[in-house]
Amino acid sequence: MRTRQILCPVDFSEESEHALEYAIELAALYKVKLRLLHVISKAYGEDITTLPHHEENFGIVALTQAQLQQHMQAYASEKIQALLQQLHPKQQLEVLIRRGSAAGQVLEEAESTNVGMIVIGCHQRTALAHWLLPNVAEEIINKAKCPVMVVK
């Protein structure tokens, strides 16, 4: 871990900002590169027009898929830049924006770049919300091949 980079997934929540603060401190302490990863999930209604008989789905899509992707990418870039200006990291870092499953993309990035640690925020949810919504941090903890630091 002491010579390999740190991966910090960010979703712009208060928990992920708190985890990013820890990741910045750890990267500075060990003098390693920090990688920020934001994953854009598939938007609701994105694939409505690609399905046969899409008019039966009653979905409302005001943008084309390409326009929607471009808008989401620009929004994520803007939010990451604002976050970095607020935190003023002094060490080298790399910003990545991917599309797909959050846990899948984090695990793939961690394995492909051989990171030394993942620092991730964990949302505090009720039992019902935990049952209904997938817990990305839990999946990463269970499947990662490197140490994972979970920050509340």
Side-chain angles (χ1 to χ4, degrees):
M1 176 12 232
R2 294 178 190 260
T3 59
R4 297 187 291 169
Q5 50 201 335
I6 295 173
L7 176 64
C8 184
V10 292
D11 65 359
F12 312 124
S13 66
E14 186 176 328
E15 293 85 1
S16 79
E17 286 183 28
H18 195 56
L20 180 56
E21 292 171 3
Y22 276 91
I24 288 170
E25 287 182 33
L26 285 169
L29 176 68
Y30 291 116
K31 296 176 177 54
V32 295
K33 185 177 180 180
L34 176 60
R35 299 171 72 86
L36 302 182
L37 174 64
H38 176 72
V39 180
I40 299 171
S41 299
K42 192 174 192 179
Y44 173 76
E46 185 174 316
D47 59 354
I48 289 173
T49 57
T50 61
L51 297 173
H53 308 292
H54 65 274
E55 55 276 350
E56 295 172 7
N57 291 331
F58 304 105
I60 299 172
V61 180
L63 301 172
T64 66
Q65 185 173 353
Q67 289 171 324
L68 183 61
Q69 288 177 6
Q70 185 179 25
H71 174 73
M72 292 174 80
Q73 181 90 15
Y75 174 78
S77 296
E78 183 181 304
K79 291 286 284 184
I80 287 174
Q81 291 308 316
L83 186 60
L84 293 177
Q85 285 179 354
Q86 174 188 341
L87 296 174
H88 303 293
K90 294 178 177 80
Q91 71 278 7
Q92 179 185 11
L93 60 89
E94 184 176 351
V95 176
L96 307 162
I97 299 175
R98 301 271 168 78
R99 288 183 51 80
S101 157
Q105 290 296 319
V106 171
L107 292 168
E108 183 180 314
E109 181 65 27
E111 202 167 316
S112 68
T113 57
N114 197 23
V115 299
M117 176 184 273
I118 300 171
V119 179
I120 188 167
C122 183
H123 299 284
Q124 297 177 11
R125 295 190 174 136
T126 64
L128 179 61
H130 182 76
W131 183 70
L132 292 172
L133 299 169
N135 190 327
V136 175
E138 186 177 326
E139 185 175 347
I140 290 170
I141 290 166
N142 290 326
K143 295 181 179 177
K145 295 179 180 175
C146 64
V148 178
M149 178 179 180
V150 180
V151 180
K152 282 186 167 185

